[in-house]
Amino acid sequence: LQSMFGEPWTRQTLDAVLRHEKGHMENTCDLILQHGDQDPQVLVDRLKAGGPEPQVAMDEELARQLAAQQQPATRTAAATKKGRGTP
């Protein structure tokens, strides 16, 4: 990992991410790559705090946005059908 990810990653920060991923090298590399150019300690702290994985957090945010967009459309459709009765 040290040869793949140089500064600012240290042996300690790489070890912390690898241990969090239970030694799974591919998942560790994916997490580090998704973290990008941010300070490695930010990722380590988030993992220690039990925060959501980046992809999970993005998926949750997208789900909230989609739900918010669909709610007005659902209300409009219900209002349009109101009073027509059953065919």
Side-chain angles (χ1 to χ4, degrees):
L1 282 174
Q2 284 184 295
S3 63
M4 293 172 62
F5 303 101
E7 290 293 326
W9 291 92
T10 64
R11 181 180 207 125
Q12 290 78 19
T13 55
L14 292 169
D15 181 64
V17 178
L18 184 62
R19 286 178 185 274
H20 180 269
E21 291 301 315
K22 298 176 178 61
H24 195 283
M25 187 70 79
E26 186 176 338
N27 289 350
T28 300
C29 290
D30 283 345
L31 265 180
I32 293 170
L33 290 172
Q34 288 175 10
H35 187 66
D37 293 335
Q38 299 177 54
D39 180 0
Q41 193 60 47
V42 172
L43 176 61
V44 172
D45 292 344
R46 193 186 79 237
L47 295 175
K48 285 181 180 178
E53 303 299 324
Q55 187 62 49
V56 172
M58 289 188 294
D59 290 349
E60 289 173 347
E61 179 59 28
L62 180 59
R64 283 190 288 275
Q65 290 174 1
L66 290 172
Q69 289 174 357
Q70 290 178 345
Q71 284 178 350
T74 303
R75 290 180 188 147
T76 304
T80 307
K81 293 180 181 179
K82 193 175 187 178
R84 290 189 177 175
T86 307

